[in-house]
């Protein structure tokens, strides 16, 4: 089971991916872009994204990622149909980066996500899907076999990084973590009322 810090880390880095890639117009691109970021973080022995992926119709798919995206959209951090951050989403990312980017190994993780996202930013969802299909990985459910994703049977688990103990992970000072938790827990109506109160 994911820790509260892992869930918060996922939300922050998902928002960071969406901030960096203004060329996401659908779930296919989002799923593959985050999958590639997760693979890169695993490759450098870093955590931050802990979505479980399985082989589905268009390659790697994560229900957890889809659920997190929907929850962030419901709370007003993301425009659901345009895949763009709202002002609230931009505010949260700016606040978090300003407070934690130089804390422990966080800078390395943010830089990795930024570089990986920008590497694939110009790809369409279809192009990224084709690229990922041709990638070879060792599926978590078939640990003795390295296979191209297109050859992995449907519904086989590909990644389950929540189980892996990584040396470096996104880390939050306690007081900052409490502020982020409060922000992520606040519903959209409460946020909108706060904005209106400040405007008045």
């Amino acid at each position: 089971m994911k820790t509260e810090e892992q869930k918060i880390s996922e939300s922050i880095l998902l928002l960071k991916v969406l901030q960096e890639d203004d060329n996401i117009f659908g779930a296919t691109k989002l799923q593959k872009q985050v999958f590639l970021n997760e693979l890169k973080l695993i490759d450098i022995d870093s955590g931050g994204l802990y979505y479980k992926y399985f082989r589905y119709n268009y390659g790697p798919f994560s229900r957890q990622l889809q659920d997190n995206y929907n929850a962030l959209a419901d709370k007003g951090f993301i425009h659901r149909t345009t895949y763009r951050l709202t002002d609230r989403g931009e505010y949260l990312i700016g606040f978090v980066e300003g407070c934690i980017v130089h804390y422990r190994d966080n800078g390395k993780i943010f830089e990795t996500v930024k570089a990986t996202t920008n590497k694939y930013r110009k790809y369409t969802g279809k192009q990224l899907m084709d690229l990922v299909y041709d990638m070879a990985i060792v599926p978590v459910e078939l640990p003795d076999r390295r296979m191209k994703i297109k050859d992995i049977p449907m519904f086989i688990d590909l990644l389950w990084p929540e189980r892996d103990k990584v040396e470096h992970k996104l880390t939050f000072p306690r007081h900052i973590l409490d502020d982020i938790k409060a922000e992520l827990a606040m519903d959209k109506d409460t946020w909108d009322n706060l904005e209106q109160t400040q405007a008045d």
Side-chain angles (χ1 to χ4, degrees):
M1 185 154 172
K2 290 180 194 176
T3 66
E4 186 175 45
E5 201 165 306
Q6 285 175 325
K7 291 177 185 176
I8 289 169
S9 179
E10 283 179 334
S11 293
I12 296 304
L13 293 182
L14 172 55
L15 291 173
K16 184 62 181 169
V17 167
L18 289 166
Q19 183 186 51
E20 292 296 327
D21 190 342
D22 60 358
N23 193 32
I24 294 177
F25 298 103
T28 300
K29 171 87 183 271
L30 177 67
Q31 288 276 339
K32 305 315 169 267
Q33 178 69 278
V34 176
F35 176 78
L36 289 164
N37 270 279
E38 201 161 306
L39 280 180
K40 185 62 179 176
L41 288 171
I42 291 168
D43 187 50
I44 65 167
D45 193 32
S46 290
L49 293 167
Y50 306 95
Y51 297 117
K52 182 179 178 182
Y53 278 87
F54 64 93
R55 169 69 162 85
Y56 199 46
N57 293 327
Y58 302 110
F61 178 80
S62 172
R63 283 193 183 100
Q64 296 171 342
L65 167 58
Q66 192 62 48
D67 289 345
N68 195 18
Y69 177 86
N70 289 333
L72 289 168
D74 288 344
K75 292 197 173 186
F77 293 98
I78 303 166
H79 293 288
R80 185 181 306 276
T81 56
T82 64
Y83 291 82
R84 301 286 188 278
L85 297 189
T86 62
D87 289 344
R88 183 180 185 191
E90 291 285 356
Y91 166 80
L92 181 59
I93 285 298
F95 169 75
V96 170
E97 278 194 282
C99 292
I100 72 165
V101 75
H102 299 295
Y103 187 69
R104 298 191 181 166
D105 292 305
N106 292 343
K108 177 182 176 185
I109 293 168
F110 274 103
E111 279 305 311
T112 299
V113 168
K114 183 176 181 177
T116 304
T117 302
N118 281 301
K119 178 178 179 180
Y120 300 110
R121 190 181 71 73
K122 293 189 178 180
Y123 286 74
T124 65
K126 170 76 167 74
Q127 290 169 330
L128 211 50
M129 182 182 73
D130 291 343
L131 178 118
V132 170
Y133 264 142
D134 277 333
M135 290 179 67
I137 67 166
V138 178
V140 70
E141 241 183 307
L142 302 169
D144 56 339
R145 299 178 64 185
R146 185 170 185 81
M147 306 171 67
K148 285 192 173 184
I149 289 176
K150 65 183 173 187
D151 298 328
I152 297 171
M154 294 285 277
F155 305 110
I156 292 289
D157 287 335
L158 305 176
L159 285 182
W160 198 347
E162 159 192 356
R163 298 185 320 183
D164 298 335
K165 302 296 182 201
V166 294
E167 186 174 331
H168 308 287
K169 61 182 181 175
L170 204 56
T171 310
F172 307 90
R174 182 88 251 158
H175 67 287
I176 298 297
L177 183 62
D178 290 341
D179 289 345
I180 297 167
K181 279 170 31 182
E183 181 64 32
L184 288 169
M186 189 185 307
D187 63 46
K188 185 179 181 311
D189 290 339
T190 304
W191 172 263
D192 290 342
N193 288 335
L194 279 176
E195 279 197 312
Q196 185 59 47
T197 301
Q198 288 174 343
D200 293 343

